[in-house]
Amino acid sequence: AANGSGVMGIFPSVPLVSFGLPPNISCSAAANGIVAVINAKASVVNLSFGSPAQCFTLFRTVEAAYGAGTLVVAAAGNEAQQGNAPNYPAAWPHVLSVAAVGQTLAPASFSNSNAAVDIAAPGEAVPVDTPIVLFTCTLPPCS
């Protein structure tokens, strides 16, 4: 990293577009956020939230994003100890569903592990870097 310690991302010069969501994420707020970052030219959308309940509005928005060529990535969920049910939007078609593994590469005790999971990545004790420059989109417009 630029400070001589920590980690650096794979593409540190790539701008990040952020859309803030309220603490209690509604279906419409999530759908509006996806539309906003797509309109800001994001080619990958990370959805670090989920629910065991499906929402048609969010489903159609995710499908539209995929249809426009956007990679939609979503958290598989952290409910493994509460039954491990599929989590949405991660369990929908065309969404890259990501679960967590621990330092031994075994599934993390909290992470969902079901047929909807596409890939697992480190999810415990992960060092993170603070970006030098963070592009935050204030809508509208983004540039």
Side-chain angles (χ1 to χ4, degrees), residues 27-29 31-32 34 54-63 92:
C27 183
S28 61
N32 289 338
I34 293 170
Q54 298 192 54
C55 165
F56 184 72
T57 300
L58 186 56
F59 175 77
R60 295 297 295 156
T61 304
V62 166
E63 289 293 301
W92 287 329

Side-chain angles (χ1 to χ4, degrees), residues 100-109 124:
V101 295
Q103 292 179 311
T104 65
L105 302 182
S109 64
E124 295 178 342

Side-chain angles (χ1 to χ4, degrees), residues 10-91:
I10 296 172
F11 294 108
S13 63
V14 173
L16 299 175
V17 179
S18 178
F19 186 88
L21 292 172
N24 294 321
I25 301 169
S26 68
C27 183
S28 61
N32 289 338
I34 293 170
V35 170
V37 297
I38 298 291
N39 288 341
K41 308 292 185 231
S43 55
V44 178
V45 175
N46 177 54
L47 305 174
S48 295
F49 61 85
S51 170
Q54 298 192 54
C55 165
F56 184 72
T57 300
L58 186 56
F59 175 77
R60 295 297 295 156
T61 304
V62 166
E63 289 293 301
Y66 172 78
T70 301
L71 173 61
V72 180
V73 181
N78 297 331
E79 294 80 30
Q81 297 172 356
Q82 288 85 34
N84 206 20
N87 204 25
Y88 300 95

